[in-house]
Amino acid sequence: TTEQARNVAHEYRDKLWNTHRIIGYFLAFALLSRVVIEIAVSKEEKILSRIKVAAGVARVNRGRGTDARHYLTVKYTYLIFYGLFFIMACTGLILSFEDVEFLKPVHNIAGSIHEFGQYTIYGYIVLHLIGVVRADVTEYPGIISRMINKGNV
């Protein structure tokens, strides 16, 4: 019957939502771990230090090659990714803890931002894959093979 179908669909949606929440908690924990690692590593290993070095190399090598510019672009895209990921984690946690009283006023806006952020992550992934394939067939042949084989090519 129609009512049974609705009950099954509702049960399936609840299970899917709970799975989404568990994955979200794991990803938020992974992001928090990455932040702790970033704080704990030496100054030379921090991503901002690496970007500053890459920016200096790019300025020195201006017009002499694309390696430095490519490296700098990669580092900036890491920052963009972590920024998007941070926004998704924060808004997801706000949505997850919908019963917390002080979060209720921002629940709707967090939902809108989270939904929009989902599409920016999809776009980032598509652009990243296109960039990796482009790099593999142009300036950095074998990059995909090295990723898959852990550098043993």
Side-chain angles (χ1 to χ4, degrees):
T1 68
T2 305
E3 187 174 329
Q4 288 174 326
R6 277 196 190 114
N7 290 338
V8 169
H10 184 69
E11 187 67 29
Y12 178 73
R13 188 180 69 210
D14 287 347
K15 287 182 180 185
L16 190 61
W17 173 245
N18 286 333
T19 303
H20 180 100
R21 286 175 59 177
I22 290 167
I23 291 169
Y25 292 146
F26 172 77
L27 292 174
F29 176 76
L31 179 63
L32 178 64
S33 299
R34 180 64 182 104
V35 169
V36 169
I37 290 168
E38 184 69 17
I39 291 169
V41 297
S42 66
K43 186 176 180 181
E44 298 82 32
E45 292 294 316
K46 292 185 186 293
I47 194 166
L48 289 178
S49 295
R50 290 180 176 194
I51 288 173
K52 287 177 186 175
V53 168
V57 170
R59 277 192 292 279
V60 170
N61 291 328
R62 193 165 291 189
R64 284 190 251 165
T66 59
D67 281 348
R69 189 173 66 237
H70 176 260
Y71 180 78
L72 183 60
T73 302
V74 167
K75 294 303 176 189
Y76 276 124
T77 59
Y78 286 162
L79 283 179
I80 292 168
F81 175 75
Y82 282 119
L84 290 172
F85 201 81
F86 179 77
I87 290 168
M88 289 296 288
C90 289
T91 56
L93 289 170
I94 290 169
L95 294 173
S96 181
F97 294 109
E98 60 191 335
D99 296 337
V100 177
E101 197 61 39
F102 73 90
L103 294 176
K104 285 183 180 179
V106 295
H107 190 268
N108 286 337
I109 189 73
S112 298
I113 292 169
H114 194 73
E115 187 175 336
F116 178 76
Q118 145 191 322
Y119 295 109
T120 62
I121 295 288
Y122 294 157
Y124 180 90
I125 290 169
V126 168
L127 291 175
H128 179 74
L129 292 174
I130 290 169
V132 169
V133 170
R134 181 178 165 266
D136 192 60
V137 299
T138 58
E139 299 171 17
Y140 302 96
I143 192 171
I144 295 173
S145 297
R146 287 191 301 277
M147 283 184 220
I148 293 170
N149 297 309
K150 300 177 185 166
N152 301 323
V153 177

